[in-house]
Amino acid sequence: MFARSFRASKTFTTLVVSFAIFTDILIQNLVVPVLPYALHTRVGLDDEDDIQRWTSILLAAFGAVLMIGCLLFGYVADLFPSRRIPFLLGLVLLSLSTLFFALATSVWALLAARILQGLSTAIVHTIGYTLLTEVVGKEHLGKAMGYTSMALSSGLLLGPVLGGVLYEYCGYFQVFLPAFGLIAIEVILRCLVIEKEKKQANGPIPRLPHLPSTPQTHTGGKPPLSTETEPLLSHTPEPRARDASAYRALLTSPRFVVALTSLFVLNSIANGFDSTLVPFVQGAFNMQSGRAAALFLALAIPMLLAPLSGWLADRFGPRVPILAGMPVAIVSFSLLSLISEATTTPLLKMIIILAFVGLAFALVMGPLGVEAIIAVHDLEEQSAPNEFGSKGTLAQAIGLQNTIIAGGGLLGPLYAGFVRVAVGWKGLELLNAGLCGGIFVLALLSVDAKRLDERQDDEMAV
């Protein structure tokens, strides 16, 4: 039946996961510009310091819960009989968090909403990416991750703008009406998707052929001779030992660690703009908030080109877009360090430079995720049969990957803020350029030029 085959197709699964990420990120950012006003008008906080303190607590709570949630759901994902169950659980948590936000009249209700939102995002990113990787397969993984990156960027772009406009012209509760509409669409899409049956990650446990059975007679009470057709010890690890060995194997894989380290550094740099870009342009050029918003748009819009970098990763391997993007980032951050109070036409120059920063990140971020998956594939191919269970290490790997990315989102604003205070804007951007240079060297030394499907073809030929 065509409808059923389409629901199980790579195209539909990519659509569902991308829309889930878009919905989650948009709703997550929908409330960010509204939080200070909600704390004042609905909770009743009047002191500016209290509003700032609780705004920071609510934002930090989300990041902390996201980190813990990614590890948690990466660990328990394989305990569910299918990916759909936890995927739908994430939708329930997202609905509850949105309802809490819409009805909240205390800081504790807002905190509970933010915690539920962090858990929902952890499920969407961990289970969603796991489902996508299993269904899409090796040949289109980069392109699929490009579409999810584009969905994420779209949510980041539209969320704050939509939230601010709806709050200003329609009111507080009306901010959440689009969220409930998107959640309704999500219910339909997540129920329609059909999960691909997952084979054992390392193939079935090989069995020696049984010898032809013959009637056996025993004399003298002697035990029968062993035919040595059964293994003396079970090769299936205990669940807890298996999970522990999976994390241990992942964290001792140099390529996996390099990919995750690069993602952490780049995500920290990207999130560092949240705490430094507006204060810098306000202090240096007395730039108003509307013009400062244009700088964030310049940074985010090139991320819509992420499917192109995914296609490059599928076609030529992740090495090509990573090594093409990192020099662009190094040069761009070096040029950003030259922006100062004496710069003429600073807005135009910063928009152009930040657009190149966004382009570099669009080229690199998706292929680094593909590189991490390739490292996981290599790890499973080199392991003993069924060493990591029937579903392998994929969910744990993606859980770790999203935990690292969440850590960058949590620590990035702190890193950038403290460094700018200590050494100034120029020192911060030169340090960012140096960090990107380090990632370029690591990628040059460790990232494989082969595509994932080429590696698997080579292994089949051996």
Side-chain angles (χ1 to χ4, degrees), residues 64-103:
V65 172
L66 179 59
M67 288 183 64
I68 297 171
C70 287
L71 277 179
L72 172 65
F73 290 108
Y75 179 82
V76 304
D78 291 339
L79 301 180
F80 293 95
S82 73
R83 305 296 188 199
R84 181 188 292 181
I85 295 174
F87 211 29
L88 290 173
L89 173 62
L91 195 58
V92 172
L93 295 178
L94 182 60
S95 303
L96 288 174
S97 70
T98 305
L99 186 63
F100 275 34
F101 267 119
L103 302 178

Side-chain angles (χ1 to χ4, degrees), residues 286-370:
N286 195 26
M287 195 176 292
Q288 300 302 312
S289 58
R291 298 180 118 198
L295 298 177
F296 283 101
L297 287 175
L299 189 63
I301 286 176
M303 286 299 296
L304 299 178
L305 298 175
L308 174 61
S309 71
W311 178 83
L312 289 172
D314 287 338
R315 181 69 178 84
F316 303 105
R319 183 185 182 92
V320 171
I322 292 173
L323 295 185
M326 292 317 302
V328 176
I330 295 169
V331 173
S332 299
F333 283 116
S334 300
L335 291 175
L336 268 182
S337 71
L338 301 178
I339 301 293
S340 66
E341 291 86 346
T343 302
T344 57
T345 61
L347 179 62
L348 177 61
K349 290 177 179 177
M350 291 193 74
I351 285 176
I352 294 173
I353 296 172
L354 287 172
F356 277 101
V357 172
L359 175 63
F361 277 47
L363 284 171
V364 171
M365 297 294 278
L368 278 173
V370 175

Side-chain angles (χ1 to χ4, degrees), residues 3 10 116 159 244 317 380 409 419 452 462:
K10 300 173 183 179
L116 290 173
E380 291 182 342
V419 171
L452 182 55
V462 174

Side-chain angles (χ1 to χ4, degrees), residues 27-374:
I27 294 176
Q28 169 194 328
N29 287 274
L30 198 68
V31 301
V32 170
V34 179
L35 273 180
Y37 303 101
L39 289 168
H40 175 63
T41 60
R42 296 183 64 83
V43 175
L45 297 182
D46 293 321
D47 185 72
E48 186 176 345
D49 290 340
D50 287 339
I51 293 175
Q52 176 64 67
R53 180 163 53 251
W54 274 105
T55 300
S56 300
I57 290 172
L58 291 170
L59 293 175
F62 173 85
V65 172
L66 179 59
M67 288 183 64
I68 297 171
C70 287
L71 277 179
L72 172 65
F73 290 108
Y75 179 82
V76 304
D78 291 339
L79 301 180
F80 293 95
S82 73
R83 305 296 188 199
R84 181 188 292 181
I85 295 174
F87 211 29
L88 290 173
L89 173 62
L91 195 58
V92 172
L93 295 178
L94 182 60
S95 303
L96 288 174
S97 70
T98 305
L99 186 63
F100 275 34
F101 267 119
L103 302 178
T105 56
S106 70
V107 290
W108 303 112
L110 290 173
L111 182 61
R114 202 65 176 160
I115 289 172
L116 290 173
Q117 205 170 56
L119 290 173
S120 168
T121 301
I123 291 177
V124 167
H125 284 254
T126 301
I127 306 299
Y129 277 112
T130 302
L131 174 65
L132 184 66
T133 303
E134 291 173 345
V135 172
V136 169
K138 56 188 181 296
E139 63 273 8
H140 300 298
L141 182 59
K143 189 186 297 183
M145 287 191 171
Y147 283 117
T148 59
S149 296
M150 184 173 67
L152 189 149
S153 300
S154 300
L156 287 172
L157 276 172
L158 295 177
V161 175
L162 186 61
V165 169
L166 287 174
Y167 180 78
E168 183 174 351
Y169 293 102
C170 302
Y172 180 78
F173 185 79
Q174 285 74 11
V175 169
F176 302 96
L177 293 181
F180 288 119
L182 290 171
I183 290 172
I185 298 173
E186 270 292 283
V187 171
I188 298 172
L189 290 177
R190 294 195 198 189
C191 289
L192 285 177
V193 70
I194 296 177
E195 182 180 350
K196 178 182 178 182
E197 291 187 5
K198 180 75 165 61
K199 296 180 180 180
Q200 289 186 351
N202 304 103
I205 303 175
R207 295 181 178 273
L208 294 175
H210 289 284
L211 296 177
S213 60
T214 55
Q216 297 183 10
T217 57
H218 310 297
T219 59
K222 294 182 180 181
L225 295 175
S226 170
T227 61
E228 296 292 341
T229 60
E230 297 293 336
L232 294 176
L233 298 174
S234 171
H235 290 284
T236 304
E238 294 295 326
R240 291 189 180 183
R242 182 192 65 209
D243 292 330
S245 66
Y247 283 116
R248 184 167 55 250
L250 289 169
L251 293 175
T252 53
S253 166
R255 291 184 61 200
F256 185 75
V257 171
V258 166
L260 260 60
T261 301
S262 301
L263 285 170
F264 173 77
V265 171
L266 292 178
N267 205 47
S268 297
I269 292 173
N271 283 276
F273 284 115
D274 292 346
S275 63
T276 58
L277 187 56
V278 172
F280 171 70
V281 296
Q282 284 180 341
F285 312 111
N286 195 26
M287 195 176 292
Q288 300 302 312
S289 58
R291 298 180 118 198
L295 298 177
F296 283 101
L297 287 175
L299 189 63
I301 286 176
M303 286 299 296
L304 299 178
L305 298 175
L308 174 61
S309 71
W311 178 83
L312 289 172
D314 287 338
R315 181 69 178 84
F316 303 105
R319 183 185 182 92
V320 171
I322 292 173
L323 295 185
M326 292 317 302
V328 176
I330 295 169
V331 173
S332 299
F333 283 116
S334 300
L335 291 175
L336 268 182
S337 71
L338 301 178
I339 301 293
S340 66
E341 291 86 346
T343 302
T344 57
T345 61
L347 179 62
L348 177 61
K349 290 177 179 177
M350 291 193 74
I351 285 176
I352 294 173
I353 296 172
L354 287 172
F356 277 101
V357 172
L359 175 63
F361 277 47
L363 284 171
V364 171
M365 297 294 278
L368 278 173
V370 175
E371 171 67 8
I373 298 301
I374 292 176

